[in-house]
């Protein structure tokens, strides 16, 4: 059914030779007529007796593709799945994939788990699902979030993980029974012995280094200086004899004042011994 109500474009300048028609409907026939607006006072009336007929192309939705999921490998604790359908380049059509799965049980709706994978066009269109329960039925599907804002859902895949007896190559969780194995016990003891020996060697090296540092520190702080001063000329004139001997610790200068005297020679002290005039003793 073709609408008979004509639509008009805005007024175009006489120098304009083309016009772009927008918002047309796909797979629809159109008829175009050209109306000429005369200049006021023109002697001749211009009109166009030609009509232009055309039909728009059918609508092609580039996002109309089927998203399909399939299983690649399934074992007791994991499953590898891949998906097909998005055209290349994938990131042009899909922003992110959401993988939804759950264990098919009485509380399956509450146990839904979702994984997400960004569509970057670099990685392969597959994912490895881990932490599954052995010998359990699962349902899985994928939702693709398209770049036009819509969401596309894939088919639902049913699969069952392998049991303990069927999956002999699986590493089963630890049950604590290995503690009764004498082979494992001896290996653990040998490992513990090696660790203890290594720690003892490290402690010995640390102790030797500490003693060396302590020796140099004590040697530097217990160095004394002895200064012999000759008697001055004034003391000779006064008849004094001898000189003075000063013993001091080089690491402490607060007691180097000659006015401080002590009979005890210890750390951080100075002792000054001056000769006495014989005439004074006399």
């Amino acid at each position: 059914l073709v609408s008979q109500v004509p639509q008009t474009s805005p007024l175009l300048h006489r120098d304009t030779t083309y016009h772009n028609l927008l918002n047309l409907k796909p797979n629809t026939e159109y008829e175009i007529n050209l109306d000429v607006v005369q200049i006021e006072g023109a002697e001749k009336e211009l009109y166009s007796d030609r009509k232009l007929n055309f039909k728009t192309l059918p609508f092609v939705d580039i996002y109309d593709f089927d998203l399909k999921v399939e299983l690649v490998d399934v074992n007791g604790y994991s499953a590898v799945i891949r998906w097909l359908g998005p055209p290349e380049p994938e990131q042009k059509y899909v922003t992110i994939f959401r993988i939804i799965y759950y264990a098919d049980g009485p509380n399956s709706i509450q146990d839904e788990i979702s994984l997400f994978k960004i569509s970057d066009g670099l990685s392969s269109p597959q994912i490895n699902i881990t932490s599954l329960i052995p010998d359990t039925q699962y349902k899985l599907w994928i939702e693709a979030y398209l770049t036009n804002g819509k969401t596309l859902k894939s088919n639902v895949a049913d699969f069952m993980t392998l049991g303990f007896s069927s999956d002999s190559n699986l590493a089963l969780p630890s049950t604590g029974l290995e503690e009764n194995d004498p082979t494992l016990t001896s290996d653990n003891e040998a490992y513990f012995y090696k660790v203890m020996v290594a720690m003892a060697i490290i402690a010995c090296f640390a102790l030797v280094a500490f003693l060396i540092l302590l020796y140099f520190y004590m040697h530097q702080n217990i160095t004394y200086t002895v200064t012999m001063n000759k008697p001055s000329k004034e003391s000779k004139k006064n008849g004094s004899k001898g000189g003075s001997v000063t013993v001091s610790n080089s690491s402490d200068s607060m007691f180097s004042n000659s006015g401080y005297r002590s009979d005890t020679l210890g750390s951080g002290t100075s002792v000054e011994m001056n000769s006495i005039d014989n005439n004074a003793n006399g």
Side-chain angles (χ1 to χ4, degrees), residues 147 168 247:
T147 53
S168 58
V247 181

Side-chain angles (χ1 to χ4, degrees), residues 8 14 23 28 51-53 55 61 71 74 86 94 100 102 114 121 153 156 161 171 176 182 212 217 224 237 256 281:
T8 60
R14 61 172 177 246
N23 300 324
T28 305
K51 298 179 180 179
L52 179 62
N53 297 292
K55 184 178 180 179
D61 188 5
L71 298 173
V74 180
V94 182
I100 307 171
Y102 63 88
S114 297
K153 184 179 178 180
V156 179
T161 55
I212 293 174
Y217 177 79
Y224 292 91
K237 293 180 180 181
S256 61
N281 289 334

Side-chain angles (χ1 to χ4, degrees), residues 15 31 77 85 101 120 131 134 138 150 173 188 197 209 240 242 262 264:
D15 294 334
E31 180 181 292
Y77 292 94
Y101 65 96
D120 53 6
S131 302
Y138 282 91
K150 297 181 179 179
N188 292 335
V197 171
S240 62
S262 175
T264 303

